[in-house]
Amino acid sequence: MPRDASEARARVAQALEAAGAGPGGPPSGTAFGDALLVTSELVTNALRHGGGLTGFGVELDRGTVTVSVADASAELPHRKGGRGRERADGLAEGGFGWPLIRLLALEIRVYLPREGGKTIEVRLPLH
């Protein structure tokens, strides 16, 4: 299990680099960057808002990569109203991650297991 977003990104990068030797060729630069960005957002949200990371996975399929992140919270992801949370100095904080993930993903699945928490799977194109 990765300890933080950096370790999670390293695992995804390793999987994507290994995919480059496969039949579909290496992922495009944009796809590589998008997968790392989505990984960062999912893991950071699990650590900040989800009660901690309880599961992580990365799977490659024909032309796609799926990143799975589980956390301890059953609260579903949502877009914050307006520009995000207001800080004491009046500037906005956060609120961009989930809309960005939704924009980049081919498919998003959210599971609420009986034992609690949630798992979010995001499928992204490799090319």
Side-chain angles (χ1 to χ4, degrees):
M1 176 93 60
R3 288 177 291 171
D4 57 24
S6 176
E7 282 187 16
R9 282 191 310 272
R11 290 187 186 191
V12 170
Q14 184 178 25
L16 293 174
E17 288 165 1
S28 70
T30 299
F32 199 97
D34 289 351
L36 297 183
L37 177 61
V38 166
T39 299
S40 287
E41 290 294 334
L42 289 172
V43 171
T44 299
N45 286 342
L47 295 171
R48 264 192 201 162
H49 310 294
L53 193 62
T54 60
F56 179 81
V58 57
E59 293 182 25
L60 296 163
D61 199 0
R62 282 186 224 130
T64 66
V65 59
T66 300
V67 178
S68 303
V69 173
D71 64 38
S73 172
E75 183 176 347
L76 297 177
H78 60 279
R79 182 176 172 196
K80 293 183 180 112
R83 297 180 355 218
R85 253 184 308 199
E86 289 286 326
R87 297 187 321 198
D89 60 8
L91 298 175
E93 177 182 302
F96 299 106
W98 188 243
L100 183 61
I101 290 168
R102 291 179 55 203
L103 179 69
L104 297 174
L106 291 172
E107 181 178 17
I108 298 172
R109 295 181 183 173
V110 180
Y111 301 96
L112 298 171
R114 286 190 180 135
E115 59 273 11
K118 71 177 163 296
T119 300
I120 300 175
E121 291 181 357
V122 178
R123 190 168 61 95
L124 301 156
L126 287 177
H127 302 99

